[in-house]
Amino acid sequence: MIKAVILIGGPMKGTRFRPLSLELPKPLFPIGGFPVVYHHIEACKKIPELKEIILIGFYQSSESLSKFILNAQQQFNIPIRYLQEFQPLGTAGGIYHFRDQIAMGDPEGFLVLNADIMGDYPLVEFVEFHRKHLGEHSILSTEANKKQAHNFGCLVEDPETHKVLHYVEKPETFVSETINCGIYIFSPAALFKLMGEVIQRNYHKMSEEPFAGNVESVRMGEDVLATLANSGSLYAFKSSSFWSSIKNAGSAIYANRNVLSMYHKTHPDLLAQNGKGQPHIRGDVYIHSSAVVHPTAVLGPNVSVGSNVVIGAGARVRETILLDGAELKDHCCILYSIIGWNCSIGMWSRVEGSRCDPNPNEEFSRPDGESLFGDDGKLTPSITILGRNVTISGEVIVRNSIVLPHKDLGQSYKNEIIL
Ligand code: GTP
């Protein structure tokens, strides 16, 4: 029997995802029309021996989270629970804090997934790989390019046995192009013993000197994976399928494109088709069944349209996520943007962001998880994001900007954060 744990973080996380994460926990943000964690649950459900999914985070239980869990339980027919940390326990502390719940029923191993990633995870193959190293631990890895690898956990493995020889979290100097995907399978007893030792060390440090952190906090990279690699009990399974971390909103557009592309294989029924009386569809587009789109609108490629969205005549949308209840009036144009819940875009207006794609000339390039501002203090060119309930008048251009919720824009803006 196997269980899955999804680490969903909490309200102080997802800062690079603002203002969208102010409104909704980042793990519930829709990619390809469905919340990020929905895709994780769907991927986990493919493992035949999976008996339970536990979400661990420090969000206060909310209506949106409870509703999501209830619906997912029913749809996937698997028990799903949310366990809330009393305070942030770091990228692994929650696993130790709730160890009794995880160990209940004596699972042979448990899968851990970070919520801020998206991919075509080969979980069934990963479980098979893990079983070959019974009693040990496994990590899913992928390839990054040399320039970007230092943004991730990097590992060096024995090419024949796949034993991880060395693991460094976000190394300052080059270690390897093989990076951590944020997906693991652990053997419960051995992992909990190791984490118990980390917490003992934290208590010991606290007794010797004022300890700034939380004693129950455990870091997945530095405390767990590096130690497992040193003890020779961690094995890496390399995936070559699509994988991306979702740190900022720009990477959500990239993930959206890849998830829509995955639908060709997994859910072709979710992709909009051209037809009489239908809008003109270019490439991959998802349209919620409750959305109303004028037949002269042109959508795609890589557009997700949420529930109750209304799109007027002659509107043009590409590389964009339209969140629930947004209204696009006639002839507006939306490119490389996320349009927040219940926003309204006026006639002939243009909302446009910059592409945040990985460099196509570099193999294994990934979207940068850059911060909002460059070294020169200026806003880094990125997608345009409109927070909830933003109204844009007709014939206005908003380019490369982030607009906080509940704003009315009657003039054009460029490269600004509109507070
Ligand atoms: P950055 O690259 O700086 O964002 O850090 P990271 O990738 O090392 O860690 P990150 O903070 O992105 O967290 C990795 C995963 O752990 C994500 O899925 C987070 O939601 C989750 N996480 C982070 N901190 C906590 C925490 O205190 N509690 C729980 N339950 N999850 C957490």
Side-chain angles (χ1 to χ4, degrees):
M1 187 261 270
I2 288 182
K3 291 194 183 187
V5 170
I6 306 177
L7 296 168
I8 67 168
M12 277 114 73
K13 308 297 294 179
T15 49
R16 281 171 284 177
F17 213 71
R18 286 178 183 166
L20 302 162
S21 54
L22 295 173
E23 301 280 335
L24 186 80
K26 183 169 119 178
L28 296 186
F29 185 82
I31 303 280
F34 296 87
V36 174
V37 211
Y38 177 97
H39 297 284
H40 289 56
I41 294 172
E42 187 175 39
C44 288
K45 184 62 190 160
K46 295 200 178 113
I47 302 168
E49 309 84 347
L50 192 88
K51 288 287 172 287
E52 186 183 28
I53 298 175
I54 301 174
L55 310 185
I56 299 181
F58 54 98
Y59 289 102
Q60 290 289 347
S61 202
S62 64
E63 200 191 322
S64 53
L65 191 56
S66 311
K67 208 165 131 194
F68 166 76
I69 291 174
L70 201 70
N71 288 344
Q73 280 199 108
Q74 283 169 354
Q75 180 171 348
F76 293 109
N77 193 22
I78 187 156
I80 304 174
R81 285 189 290 155
Y82 174 52
L83 301 178
Q84 189 191 336
E85 291 164 21
F86 56 95
Q87 56 183 315
L89 296 177
T91 43
I95 295 174
Y96 186 73
H97 187 78
F98 293 114
R99 60 193 178 283
D100 293 345
Q101 307 275 345
I102 296 170
M104 202 187 289
D106 202 17
E108 60 178 283
F110 65 99
L111 187 72
V112 173
L113 296 99
N114 285 354
D116 60 352
I117 52 170
M118 186 55 79
D120 187 5
Y121 317 124
L123 295 186
V124 175
E125 295 85 339
F126 187 39
V127 169
E128 273 168 25
F129 171 87
H130 175 75
R131 290 213 166 111
K132 284 198 205 141
H133 309 284
L134 205 63
E136 310 285 4
H137 313 275
S138 308
I139 177 169
L140 195 76
S141 65
T142 190
E143 208 75 10
N145 68 34
K146 211 167 183 167
K147 263 201 288 187
Q148 291 179 316
H150 68 94
N151 295 325
F152 302 91
C154 295
L155 54 104
V156 180
E157 64 171 289
D158 179 319
E160 273 169 23
T161 62
H162 303 293
K163 185 185 274 193
V164 179
L165 305 172
H166 189 46
Y167 181 91
V168 190
E169 188 63 31
K170 302 195 181 88
E172 281 176 18
T173 53
F174 178 72
V175 169
S176 148
E177 285 157 346
T178 307
I179 61 164
N180 172 5
C181 285
I183 301 184
Y184 324 95
I185 303 177
F186 294 117
S187 300
L191 183 81
F192 297 149
K193 182 167 174 290
L194 183 151
M195 287 181 156
E197 287 162 6
V198 173
I199 289 170
Q200 278 303 316
R201 273 203 304 276
N202 288 351
Y203 272 110
H204 188 67
K205 271 192 223 157
M206 189 175 68
S207 63
E208 288 190 336
E209 57 189 76
F211 184 69
N214 175 350
V215 282
E216 280 202 53
S217 171
V218 182
R219 298 163 303 171
M220 181 61 86
E222 299 86 335
D223 297 329
V224 176
L225 301 174
T227 312
L228 293 179
N230 287 342
S231 66
S233 57
L234 183 65
Y235 288 80
F237 179 73
K238 196 174 269 185
S239 161
S240 51
S241 331
F242 156 67
W243 178 88
S244 174
S245 59
I246 306 177
K247 296 294 180 194
N248 56 15
S251 49
I253 294 290
Y254 173 71
N256 186 57
R257 179 191 313 164
N258 283 284
V259 167
L260 291 175
S261 162
M262 272 158 50
Y263 285 168
H264 283 282
K265 192 174 66 179
T266 56
H267 297 291
D269 51 310
L270 291 178
L271 293 169
Q273 305 294 330
N274 281 303
K276 204 164 171 262
Q278 301 295 320
H280 187 77
I281 303 295
R282 293 194 178 161
D284 299 339
V285 175
Y286 164 84
I287 304 177
H288 190 272
S289 55
S290 62
V292 179
V293 187
H294 195 277
T296 58
V298 182
L299 309 187
N302 308 321
V303 171
S304 287
V305 179
S307 64
N308 301 311
V309 167
V310 178
I311 302 181
R316 176 73 179 103
V317 189
R318 67 180 282 185
E319 303 282 352
T320 286
I321 298 174
L322 301 174
L323 298 175
D324 300 352
E327 183 189 11
L328 311 190
K329 298 206 169 135
D330 297 355
H331 307 292
C332 68
C333 176
I334 318 284
L335 311 173
Y336 291 95
S337 298
I338 297 178
I339 306 298
W341 304 271
N342 300 328
C343 282
S344 168
I345 315 294
M347 280 174 77
W348 296 103
S349 279
R350 186 179 177 94
V351 178
E352 181 176 358
S354 299
R355 281 180 94 105
C356 291
D357 289 356
N359 185 342
N361 298 321
E362 288 178 1
E363 210 185 356
F364 303 122
S365 180
R366 308 196 169 275
D368 274 319
E370 284 178 38
S371 61
L372 280 181
F373 301 98
D375 294 339
D376 54 3
K378 290 192 180 147
L379 195 61
T380 315
S382 184
I383 64 161
T384 286
I385 307 169
L386 307 188
R388 179 186 286 278
N389 245 330
V390 169
T391 302
I392 295 188
S393 310
E395 299 180 38
V396 157
I397 301 178
V398 179
R399 190 170 276 161
N400 286 338
S401 294
I402 298 174
V403 185
L404 265 74
H406 312 290
K407 301 279 159 213
D408 287 346
L409 306 188
Q411 64 180 75
S412 296
Y413 290 90
K414 186 169 87 172
N415 302 340
E416 273 196 54
I417 298 183
I418 301 158
L419 297 170

